[in-house]
Amino acid sequence: MSLKDKHAIVGAATTRFGKVPGVSALAFTVEAAQLALADAGLAKDSVDAVLCKYPPSGFQGLWAHKVSEALGIQPKIAATIDQAGATNIGLVQYAMMAIEAGLIEIAVCCYGDNPLSGPPGTYSKPRGPEGAYGMFGAPSGYAMIAQRHMEEFGTTSEQLGHVAVSTRAWASKNPNAHKRDPMTIADHQASRYVAEPLHLLDCCLVSDGGAAVVVTSVERAKDLNKPPVYIMGIGQHHIAWDLPQRPTLTTSGAKISGEMAFNMAGVGPQDVDVCELYDCFTVVPMITLEDYGFCEKGEGGAFVENGTTGPGGSIPMNTSGGLLSESGMAGMQLIVEAVRQLRGEGGERQVDDPEIALVSGQGGIMHSHATMILRN
């Protein structure tokens, strides 16, 4: 049984991004959910599922239940899922399955956090035995992955820099982006190392903010004001092994996750008009492009050179600025941007007549991956 085109995103919204003092993770999550419901033209009483990602600044039990209470609703399903950066696509998949099973009609999938102005969060100090060797937090792990890609395929730091420069060029067209100031390859190369070979500008932002989408069946979507964005395909794959134990560091869960989503959708990379790819570090979308089949393994560095993914490029990628420039929050904003592009709501950054959008999410140190393909 295929889920292709049986469910749709009917509401999508983001809050302010950047440093926003005085707003809690709960307040951001609730605001995002309310804005997405307003975008869909739905009242809160129509929601029968509230699905959330944990805020990394402070893991809390029954988080979705707290969000539901703050929204003023008692849903049939309330669930908090943790797949790190792959979670938000996972929330949509959970919503689809619950709708398909006849358990619910409308789900709001939401995420918000305040790691910039609030508590330091998950990576505030080293944890576990690896911390004794200086390997803690995300940068050190992704630095190993980037170094291995360089060793195996000759990838250069300048090629990583093209990813950062491309996303900043898109962010300059987004009035809500956390960082909009111009960036050049020289700027990238001059930024300090965080964990060699990753420079500061290879690393995603730390941002306050929230984002949410509303998911329902295509039948229910017909009753709403805005045209639905159809979910053509979806997939997940979780490597899960700790980094030092993996047989390879240069292939991610995107390979199998992408195959699942493309097979369900009945399309291939050549059919995609716009990509919103998880970019916690510049090496991640490069590997993702390879694993999805936009280029051969090891050719990601050459592929992103010369403006391929920037404004006017052949593969528009991360058109709102991604995690590197729009907001460092963990991925829901990428889904929202895909919806906006397919609706023609991108403003100055709008891609010409896109029909199919590809979204990815990746979590941990390349532990988890999720893929979603949308169409208008």
Side-chain angles (χ1 to χ4, degrees):
M1 179 182 68
S2 174
L3 297 178
K4 179 183 178 182
D5 290 344
K6 298 180 74 172
H7 308 89
I9 295 174
V10 294
T14 56
T15 69
R16 299 159 290 169
F17 290 139
K19 188 171 186 177
V20 189
V23 183
S24 68
L26 180 62
F28 272 125
T29 307
V30 170
E31 180 186 357
Q34 291 172 331
L35 290 170
L37 287 168
D39 183 62
L42 289 166
K44 66 180 183 180
D45 293 340
S46 64
V47 175
D48 41 19
V50 175
L51 306 175
C52 297
K53 179 190 183 300
Y54 277 115
S57 64
F59 284 76
Q60 299 183 42
L62 296 176
W63 178 248
H65 298 72
K66 293 181 174 70
V67 172
S68 300
E69 180 180 2
L71 283 168
I73 59 178
Q74 295 181 327
K76 294 176 181 177
I77 294 177
T80 309
I81 300 174
D82 179 24
Q83 298 171 327
T87 304
N88 292 297
I89 293 176
L91 300 180
V92 174
Q93 188 168 3
Y94 191 155
M96 293 166 63
M97 292 186 294
I99 294 166
E100 189 69 12
L103 300 175
I104 63 168
E105 288 190 349
I106 294 173
V108 60
C109 305
C110 46
Y111 170 63
D113 202 4
N114 64 338
L116 185 55
S117 62
T122 303
Y123 301 121
S124 59
K125 59 182 179 180
R127 291 175 169 83
E130 292 175 344
Y133 302 96
M135 185 177 172
F136 56 90
S140 58
Y142 280 102
M144 290 182 67
I145 291 168
Q147 189 66 58
R148 189 63 198 172
H149 204 277
M150 291 175 167
E151 178 67 23
E152 288 186 22
F153 306 116
T155 306
T156 66
S157 177
E158 289 82 1
Q159 288 173 331
L160 294 176
H162 279 285
V163 175
V165 170
S166 168
T167 56
R168 184 61 60 86
W170 284 114
S172 69
K173 302 174 181 293
N174 178 3
N176 195 39
H178 186 167
K179 294 289 186 180
R180 302 183 66 198
D181 50 307
M183 184 197 302
T184 65
I185 292 295
D187 294 329
H188 171 270
Q189 292 292 289
S191 65
R192 65 177 175 85
Y193 281 119
V194 173
E196 196 171 354
L198 297 180
H199 292 268
L200 178 65
L201 293 179
D202 286 305
C203 307
C204 72
L205 303 171
V206 178
S207 309
D208 301 331
V213 295
V214 180
V215 182
T216 190
S217 66
V218 293
E219 291 79 11
R220 182 70 175 84
K222 294 174 183 176
D223 299 329
L224 303 178
N225 295 329
K226 286 195 174 182
V229 170
Y230 298 94
I231 303 169
M232 298 180 70
I234 200 160
Q236 298 185 36
H237 186 235
H238 304 279
I239 295 173
W241 289 359
D242 286 337
L243 196 66
Q245 301 180 50
R246 292 184 199 161
T248 177
L249 299 186
T250 55
T251 296
S252 72
K255 180 171 176 54
I256 292 176
S257 175
E259 288 172 355
M260 293 171 66
F262 279 123
N263 287 340
M264 182 184 295
V267 299
Q270 71 278 1
D271 300 304
V272 174
D273 300 304
V274 60
C275 293
E276 309 296 342
L277 303 185
Y278 203 85
D279 58 340
C280 51
F281 298 90
T282 50
V283 70
V284 173
M286 186 181 292
I287 290 175
T288 302
L289 286 165
E290 294 173 353
D291 290 344
Y292 281 164
F294 286 91
C295 58
E296 295 297 320
K297 177 56 65 179
E299 296 181 358
F303 186 82
V304 300
E305 285 183 311
N306 303 317
T308 304
T309 59
S314 58
I315 304 293
M317 183 180 82
N318 294 0
T319 50
S320 62
L323 280 75
L324 289 166
S325 286
E326 183 191 25
S327 171
M329 63 175 294
M332 183 65 82
Q333 76 275 27
L334 299 176
I335 304 176
V336 173
E337 176 65 9
V339 171
R340 287 172 172 165
Q341 286 289 333
L342 292 174
R343 286 176 171 177
E345 298 173 350
E348 187 183 350
R349 64 186 187 276
Q350 179 64 49
V351 174
D352 291 338
D353 300 320
E355 295 180 3
I356 296 177
L358 173 65
V359 188
S360 77
Q362 181 171 285
I365 313 299
M366 221 159 70
H367 285 80
S368 62
H369 199 95
T371 310
M372 183 161 58
I373 300 171
L374 305 172
R375 72 169 180 86
N376 53 21

